Amino acid sequence: MSGACPAAGVEYLAEVHGGAAASSVFLGGVVAPTRRLALRWLRRQAHRLADALDPDPRTTRLPPGALRPVVRPAEHAPSQLRLWAADPAYGEETVDRLATGFPYRFTAREGGAWYQLTARPLLIPRNTSVRRRDGDGRASFLNRGDTRDPAERTP
């Protein structure tokens, strides 16, 4: 038997980071119960980032003249993020990679800046004991796999 901890289930950690050469910023994260929900969250974040970086003048509530057209560089992070979110092939690649137990990462770049969408499986150990204190300060151990009311459990 391997030294791996037997798992009762898998959840998925999805995160968004942004940064430049010398810095990185955590922009959000979620633990999703399924691969598809992690993918859905990442797609929403891709749209959120793209809209924040490159708002559509027809849908934003900005004063007239606040946005001006510019020449797009070859690397355009908002376009990369929108393409990733809309392309079903990227979605299937993400879900397939997570299903095999591997992490997934997509990075959009523009100049020195980057925006990264990541997801990875989290194994949930089965039958682990959790120590907690009751109202009187006494320590007790709970079995995470045991869903019965504490009063119904026998010592």
Side-chain angles (χ1 to χ4, degrees), residues 22-42:
S23 64
S24 173
V25 178
F26 175 75
L27 299 173
V30 67
V31 175
T34 68
R35 297 181 298 270
R36 297 252 176 228
L37 288 176
L39 174 62
R40 182 185 304 172
W41 186 84
L42 287 174

Side-chain angles (χ1 to χ4, degrees), residues 101-151:
F102 290 102
Y104 178 83
R105 177 183 310 162
F106 175 81
T107 304
R109 299 180 187 282
E110 184 170 344
W114 54 266
Y115 305 92
Q116 194 168 76
L117 309 171
T118 63
R120 64 183 174 98
L122 296 174
L123 297 180
I124 301 171
R126 89 175 97 141
N127 296 330
T128 59
S129 295
V130 177
R131 186 175 181 189
R132 81 166 196 195
R133 298 212 175 262
D134 63 13
D136 295 328
R138 292 180 297 228
S140 62
F141 290 89
L142 296 177
N143 184 340
R144 287 187 80 174
D146 194 347
T147 58
R148 294 176 293 157
D149 183 7

Side-chain angles (χ1 to χ4, degrees), residues 30-105:
V30 67
V31 175
T34 68
R35 297 181 298 270
R36 297 252 176 228
L37 288 176
L39 174 62
R40 182 185 304 172
W41 186 84
L42 287 174
R43 282 180 168 156
R44 286 183 187 146
Q45 295 306 303
H47 283 295
R48 180 181 68 91
L49 284 172
D51 292 343
L53 295 168
D54 185 22
D56 183 349
R58 296 177 302 260
T59 60
T60 57
R61 298 176 191 198
L62 296 172
L67 297 177
R68 296 184 188 151
V70 297
V71 177
R72 286 189 175 171
E75 294 179 320
H76 188 248
S79 295
Q80 295 170 29
L81 290 163
R82 287 184 179 109
L83 176 68
W84 179 88
D87 190 338
Y90 280 123
E92 286 306 311
E93 178 187 356
T94 305
V95 171
D96 291 346
R97 190 149 172 87
L98 292 172
T100 59
F102 290 102
Y104 178 83
R105 177 183 310 162

